[in-house]
Amino acid sequence: MKKMLLMTLFCGLGFFLGAQTITGIVVDANSGDPLIGATVIEKGTSNGTITDIDGAFEIEVTEAAEAIQISYVGFESKSVDITGQSGTIDLGTISLNASAMGLEEVVVTGVMDIVRDRRTPVAVSTIGTAEIQAKGGNVEFPELMKSTPSIYVANQAGGYGDSEVFTRGFDQTNTAFLLNGQPINGMEDGNMYWSNWSGMTDVANAVQIQRGLGSSKLAISSVGGTVNIIMKSTEQEEGGSVGFLMGNDNYLKATASYNTGLKGKWGASILLTHWQGDGWAEGTKGKGQNYFASIGYKPNDNHEFNFLITGAPQWHDQNFSKPISEYYQGGDEINLKFNSNFGYLNGEYISIRRNYYHKPVANLNWEWDINNKSSLATVAYASWGRGGGTGPYGNGPSPQYFPEALTADGYINWSAVQEYNRSIDGGIGNGGSFTGTGIRASVNNHAWYGLVSKYETLLGSDLTLSLGTDLRTYHGSHFRQLVNLMGLNGFDESDHARFNNHIVSNTYKAAPWSSLFNNAPIEEQIDYSNDETISYAGLFGQLEYTNEKIATFLQGAVSNQSHVRFELYNQTEANEESEKVNNLGYNLKTGLSYSFDQNNTVFFNTGYYLRQPYHDNIYLNFSNTVNPLTVSEKIFGLEAGYKFSSEKFAANLNLYRTSWKDRTTTRTLNQGDELPNGDVLANGGYRNTVQNQLHTGVEIDFIYEIFTRFDLKGYLSVGDWAYEGNNSSKYFDDSQNLQYEDSGINVDGVKVGGPAQTSFGLGVNYNIVESLKLDVDYNHYSSLYSRLGVGNESMELPSYGLLDLGLSYTFSVGNGQYLNLRANVFNALGTEYISYANTAIAASNNDAENWNGVNRENEVMFGKTRTWNISAKYSF
């Protein structure tokens, strides 16, 4: 107390003898937005102040003052030297860089709609470079988002890249994913295939998750939310890095990168990665590469160009959900890693389910500062996807057709399969009559070209107008080709409308690099073959008004999406083209935020979408016949929130309500699934369902700097996600033939399955010493329901929690070079849990027939138990 009194007296004496005034404005280095409530202190004293709503400050300091210290939660502190200056000193604009808690080291291209500060009226969470690099490695990209309110990640045990992300209860077909402003959801079904982006953790600078309607101006329907993935661009400084990582189940990864730095008007950055591993579950081996090259060109202060190309060729074998009873393999002990999709032939490992894909993506960004009021940002992009997934052809290795198809412990008996094939007359199988067993690939190739352009201009000091266009064209090809005949001589494809007495015998590799150039021509395609062309044109616009208290916007978009389908297997060339279908869509959004002071802000937003149906739901029974019942989906959203931010503490409270009418969903059905009429699917299939849903909920998240180098963060999400009215469904087999149709079942009030409706998490980031950092994260999930069962009911699953640990150490090796060591342990307690369930069979009265209260006949996917990785990265 005496020391504090003496310091106060000393400072007071100093001001009496001679003082000086320091002014300035503190902003976010990435966005330029003012930082409200940043702390400004005369270094070495307790004399300080905080910035106002405009980021401005004014502080009186002694003439002997040498520097002022500026700090803000989530940003790196900065010291500004004022030695030798006197009187009134205006330091101008002072930029703070985001720390690991914020948006860090990000080069934002102009077409991206990034939430810049706490005044933007949307619910948002951001993951920066430091966290991506620390917690990536052998975990999939979606898992980086799991400590975010209302985000649930499932199916990690399915194989490398098979995760699914749910946002506010909606699956990833209903969340908009953008890569540098480029839409990357599939145009046919809206899905995200994370295996196509397996190198994302290496090339992503930041991820921003905007839950709900989001702030995107594009003519896209972000029902669950919008995920902006911001990739690296050309680095300004020369340097590079090499890294090596190893993890559980023989996972190995090597990475190398180099940046030329800006040499005059040019610069370039490259990155190469190779990875391989056996996978957590049995029979889920995988291997892949990632390449990234970016070239920047800045001819003058008004124009900036950046070209990049990236790709992640990979293959991985897959594990699917199955009845819990199968995980016991006929014994008393459960094997959570059991996978029945593989076996051995003469000692050679062979999986019947392999995903392989290569999707090069290129884009060219151009940013033009037209004048001090107007700018134009444009990205032109293209992607060329090649690959598919393997599976059984003919009757498959199924005990339904020959008992010896599986070994006693449930794996594929490939020797028995070959022996069976030798008994087929002439060695010719037939897919239509389920004769003979081979391995085929379902190929999904595409060429996608697009352009997004946004013009922005100031209409006044507080009013901004944005206008833009979103253009896309997509051509996809879908067919099957043979991969392995398993001793057969070929397959009879006389059902092909363009060929008579047709036998196909050529095989093609299920490999990502060869798939770029080596695919079956139409005369060697089997089972089905169809193409489609989808064209999309959208216009969007926004008016935004901001002043020191209010930020409000009015946003609208309109789009037309056209579809033409080409049936190449069941139709002659003259009759291959379908009727052209055009669907109009639009969205309207508005929002407002009001800042009471530098710490407290409230916001509200609402919007309505008329969203076009996906291509896969427009045509009946995978034919050229247009489904007259398919209509545009209707989404209405409401959201309100409160945001608090101060020097040490920041928190958000969000309330939301999303109504969804006429939603069409497609669910994969597996081999042996029973239809409502009692029929059994020999090789799996699909179910298309039309349904209505209502999702409401509350979200809370916070971050608190308890003391220097120690941050506590947490969140709570409580949702009520349920179906409304009646469902109607159509069931198709694996060859896309309609098997059963129901006219509607009452599901009003039935809980939406898939993600956990209640979740909470706590995390700690602790810099033990300057270079030694510890992070601990715990996430708990409850109110987790199965997906709708055959009877259109859902079932509650057991709750569970996961603890993740991380430790990193960085030390300098001189001359601006350093070495970073990192270790991660995920699910450190080894918790056993069900990630999701596809069926809803009630628990048995006999506990021996249940697993943790769940009937063993339910088809589930278990989550991963304990996994780990360790890595070293040398930067120069």
Side-chain angles (χ1 to χ4, degrees):
M1 184 68 184
K2 289 182 179 179
K3 289 182 178 179
M4 288 293 294
L5 180 59
L6 288 172
M7 182 174 289
T8 302
L9 290 172
F10 177 78
C11 291
L13 180 61
F15 280 118
F16 180 77
L17 294 174
Q20 52 188 333
T21 303
I22 310 295
T23 62
I25 298 174
V26 181
V27 300
D28 180 340
N30 291 303
S31 67
D33 293 317
L35 295 178
I36 305 166
T39 301
V40 182
I41 295 177
E42 180 183 348
K43 196 168 185 178
T45 76
S46 59
N47 174 42
T49 186
I50 62 173
T51 57
D52 64 16
I53 197 168
D54 297 314
F57 69 89
E58 179 177 312
I59 183 173
E60 298 289 333
V61 300
T62 65
E63 285 187 343
E66 297 180 351
I68 61 169
Q69 188 77 21
I70 303 169
S71 60
Y72 191 80
V73 63
F75 289 77
E76 297 174 354
S77 297
K78 177 175 283 189
S79 179
V80 181
D81 185 14
I82 56 172
T83 305
Q85 302 184 58
S86 61
T88 299
I89 304 169
D90 183 7
L91 298 179
T93 299
I94 303 166
S95 300
L96 297 188
N97 292 313
S99 69
M101 295 184 293
L103 196 62
E104 171 180 58
E105 299 173 8
V106 176
V107 178
V108 179
T109 59
V111 297
M112 287 188 253
D113 296 303
I114 299 298
V115 172
R116 302 285 190 166
D117 62 18
R118 281 143 289 281
R119 296 182 63 199
T120 306
V122 298
V124 63
S125 300
T126 301
I127 303 167
T129 306
E131 186 171 353
I132 293 172
Q133 295 300 315
K135 297 181 179 179
N138 63 339
V139 299
E140 297 181 43
F141 191 79
E143 293 190 57
L144 298 172
M145 298 183 266
K146 68 182 181 182
S147 295
T148 303
S150 296
I151 294 289
Y152 183 76
V153 183
N155 201 35
Q156 299 97 313
Y160 294 111
D162 283 350
S163 289
E164 294 181 78
V165 181
F166 297 82
T167 309
R168 288 186 174 174
F170 299 110
D171 64 26
Q172 57 195 16
T173 66
N174 303 295
T175 296
F177 294 92
L178 303 176
L179 179 65
N180 279 10
Q182 167 190 341
I184 57 175
N185 293 73
M187 288 192 69
E188 298 164 1
D189 56 8
N191 219 324
M192 271 295 294
Y193 301 95
W194 291 105
S195 57
N196 297 347
W197 310 96
S198 60
M200 195 70 77
T201 54
D202 299 307
V203 300
N205 254 348
V207 181
Q208 188 172 88
I209 303 122
Q210 300 173 12
R211 301 182 298 280
L213 300 179
S215 68
S216 175
K217 303 179 187 68
L218 296 183
I220 55 176
S221 301
S222 49
V223 182
T226 302
V227 176
N228 288 283
I229 302 168
I230 304 164
M231 294 180 69
K232 294 178 182 292
S233 62
T234 307
E235 301 287 344
Q236 301 296 309
E237 300 296 328
E238 184 176 4
S241 66
V242 291
F244 181 77
L245 180 145
M246 64 182 298
N248 56 280
D249 300 292
N250 297 315
Y251 186 90
L252 299 173
K253 180 179 181 179
T255 305
S257 67
Y258 181 70
N259 311 307
T260 67
L262 194 60
K263 305 295 185 182
K265 298 179 179 181
W266 293 87
S269 298
I270 59 171
L271 179 143
L272 298 172
T273 295
H274 176 85
W275 65 269
Q276 61 188 57
D278 291 342
W280 176 82
E282 298 174 343
T284 55
K285 294 176 182 288
K287 181 186 293 186
Q289 297 80 38
N290 180 38
Y291 54 86
F292 170 88
S294 176
I295 300 173
Y297 173 57
K298 190 169 184 178
N300 51 52
D301 291 338
N302 298 102
H303 297 273
E304 188 169 345
F305 298 88
N306 196 88
F307 173 80
L308 70 83
I309 185 167
T310 186
Q314 60 78 39
W315 63 263
H316 69 278
D317 296 337
Q318 296 177 291
N319 177 33
F320 297 149
S321 60
K322 59 185 73 66
I324 297 175
S325 57
E326 291 190 19
Y327 289 93
Y328 283 87
Q329 297 174 267
D332 296 327
E333 296 293 327
I334 192 169
N335 176 12
L336 301 184
K337 297 185 176 185
F338 174 67
N339 178 14
S340 58
N341 288 335
F342 77 102
Y344 292 88
L345 179 62
N346 301 322
E348 178 188 359
Y349 162 92
I350 301 177
S351 172
I352 201 167
R353 294 289 186 178
R354 171 167 293 184
N355 175 278
Y356 64 102
Y357 217 77
H358 190 174
K359 183 186 176 76
V361 176
N363 65 48
L364 175 64
N365 288 276
W366 171 36
E367 297 188 36
W368 176 21
D369 290 329
I370 301 171
N371 51 45
N372 59 358
K373 289 187 176 182
S374 304
S375 64
L376 179 68
T378 303
V379 56
Y381 61 87
S383 68
W384 305 271
R386 298 291 185 269
T390 66
Y393 195 55
N395 54 30
S398 170
Q400 179 181 357
Y401 298 100
F402 52 104
E404 301 82 9
L406 299 180
T407 62
D409 47 6
Y411 303 103
I412 297 176
N413 187 344
W414 288 116
S415 296
V417 169
Q418 276 198 343
E419 196 64 31
Y420 161 74
N421 282 340
R422 292 189 185 103
S423 70
I424 303 297
D425 186 26
I428 302 299
N430 189 299
S433 63
F434 301 105
T435 304
T437 293
I439 300 178
R440 50 77 185 164
S442 297
V443 177
N444 296 288
N445 295 340
H446 76 252
W448 185 346
Y449 305 93
L451 182 142
V452 179
S453 189
K454 182 173 69 176
Y455 171 77
E456 191 168 281
T457 187
L458 294 174
L459 300 181
S461 59
D462 301 324
L463 188 63
T464 303
L465 172 66
S466 300
L467 297 171
T469 185
D470 177 7
L471 305 174
R472 310 173 216 167
T473 182
Y474 175 99
H475 186 83
S477 297
H478 313 280
F479 56 89
R480 283 181 169 172
Q481 61 189 24
L482 292 171
V483 172
N484 194 326
L485 288 169
M486 282 294 161
L488 290 171
N489 295 321
F491 274 88
D492 186 345
E493 295 296 317
S494 296
D495 289 340
H496 202 303
R498 304 188 183 192
F499 304 96
N500 295 317
N501 301 319
H502 191 48
I503 305 296
V504 175
S505 58
N506 287 341
T507 59
Y508 298 83
K509 291 182 178 179
W513 286 99
S514 64
S515 68
L516 281 179
F517 310 105
N518 190 21
N519 292 285
I522 189 169
E523 63 270 16
E524 295 176 10
Q525 296 170 7
I526 61 172
D527 202 24
Y528 64 79
S529 178
N530 55 80
D531 291 4
E532 78 275 332
T533 297
I534 304 172
S535 298
Y536 181 98
L539 298 173
F540 56 86
Q542 174 179 287
L543 274 174
E544 183 176 18
Y545 174 82
T546 58
N547 61 27
E548 63 180 15
K549 290 286 187 180
I550 294 174
T552 184
F553 72 90
L554 176 64
Q555 190 180 112
V558 62
S559 61
N560 182 74
Q561 188 163 277
S562 67
H563 305 259
V564 179
R565 188 179 186 279
F566 302 90
E567 176 54 54
L568 309 178
Y569 190 92
N570 295 313
Q571 294 289 341
T572 62
E573 189 172 357
N575 299 317
E576 68 180 29
E577 187 171 341
S578 75
E579 171 190 346
K580 185 176 184 179
V581 176
N582 286 284
N583 287 309
L584 184 69
Y586 63 84
N587 62 61
L588 292 170
K589 292 188 285 186
T590 186
L592 180 146
S593 68
Y594 180 78
S595 298
F596 295 97
D597 52 38
Q598 61 262 44
N599 302 117
N600 300 278
T601 301
V602 294
F603 76 86
F604 168 80
N605 67 56
T606 185
Y608 180 81
Y609 288 161
L610 183 72
R611 189 176 84 166
Q612 301 102 324
Y614 289 123
H615 177 88
D616 287 353
N617 298 317
I618 288 176
Y619 296 96
L620 277 170
N621 194 18
F622 297 93
S623 71
N624 284 358
T625 303
V626 176
N627 186 350
L629 301 179
T630 299
V631 296
S632 294
E633 301 170 0
K634 305 166 185 67
I635 302 102
F636 178 65
L638 292 167
E639 186 171 4
Y642 166 70
K643 304 175 181 183
F644 176 84
S645 62
S646 65
E647 176 193 355
K648 299 288 186 179
F649 182 78
N652 299 281
L653 168 67
N654 305 300
L655 306 171
Y656 65 88
R657 181 186 188 275
T658 305
S659 171
W660 198 339
K661 305 292 185 183
D662 299 326
R663 179 189 180 189
T664 302
T665 63
T666 300
R667 173 184 148 188
T668 298
L669 302 175
N670 294 320
Q671 180 179 347
D673 279 357
E674 185 175 333
L675 304 182
N677 62 357
D679 290 347
V680 174
L681 291 172
N683 288 311
Y686 312 88
R687 183 180 76 181
N688 289 338
T689 302
V690 178
Q691 59 200 32
N692 300 326
Q693 294 176 214
L694 179 64
H695 292 220
T696 60
V698 58
E699 302 163 341
I700 301 171
D701 64 276
F702 71 89
I703 184 167
Y704 178 34
E705 185 181 341
I706 297 177
F707 54 82
T708 303
R709 302 196 306 268
F710 190 95
D711 304 317
L712 176 68
K713 60 183 179 179
Y715 72 91
L716 170 67
S717 305
V718 180
D720 181 13
W721 311 327
Y723 297 101
E724 292 186 308
N726 294 334
N727 277 3
S728 58
S729 299
K730 296 178 180 179
Y731 297 80
F732 302 89
D733 65 16
D734 193 43
S735 295
Q736 306 168 349
N737 299 306
L738 181 64
Q739 300 295 298
Y740 179 78
E741 181 176 358
D742 63 47
S743 58
I745 296 177
N746 189 317
V747 293
D748 197 52
V750 174
K751 297 294 185 181
V752 172
Q757 303 206 11
T758 298
S759 60
F760 69 85
L762 284 173
V764 169
N765 294 320
Y766 179 36
N767 288 17
I768 303 171
V769 294
E770 182 66 27
S771 298
L772 183 63
K773 300 179 181 181
L774 171 70
D775 51 85
V776 180
D777 291 288
Y778 178 79
N779 294 280
H780 188 271
Y781 306 98
S782 60
S783 299
L784 178 66
Y785 294 88
S786 68
R787 298 181 180 183
L788 287 182
V790 172
N792 286 278
E793 73 288 342
S794 62
M795 167 188 67
E796 189 167 4
L797 300 171
S799 303
Y800 66 93
L802 302 176
L803 178 68
D804 299 337
L805 306 173
L807 187 67
S808 62
Y809 182 70
T810 303
F811 56 91
S812 173
V813 293
N815 298 321
Q817 304 172 56
Y818 62 90
L819 180 66
N820 176 264
L821 305 176
R822 174 75 185 184
N824 290 298
V825 181
F826 305 100
N827 191 2
L829 302 179
T831 300
E832 296 182 353
Y833 64 98
I834 295 175
S835 176
Y836 72 86
N838 278 332
T839 56
I841 303 170
S844 171
N845 293 326
N846 182 356
D847 285 343
E849 297 177 352
N850 300 325
W851 183 88
N852 284 4
V854 179
N855 194 309
R856 292 189 186 182
E857 295 310 307
N858 278 296
E859 182 185 295
V860 308
M861 176 69 79
F862 285 100
K864 291 181 178 179
T865 50
R866 186 181 300 108
T867 60
W868 57 271
N869 65 51
I870 57 174
S871 63
K873 182 180 180 180
Y874 169 66
S875 300
F876 55 90

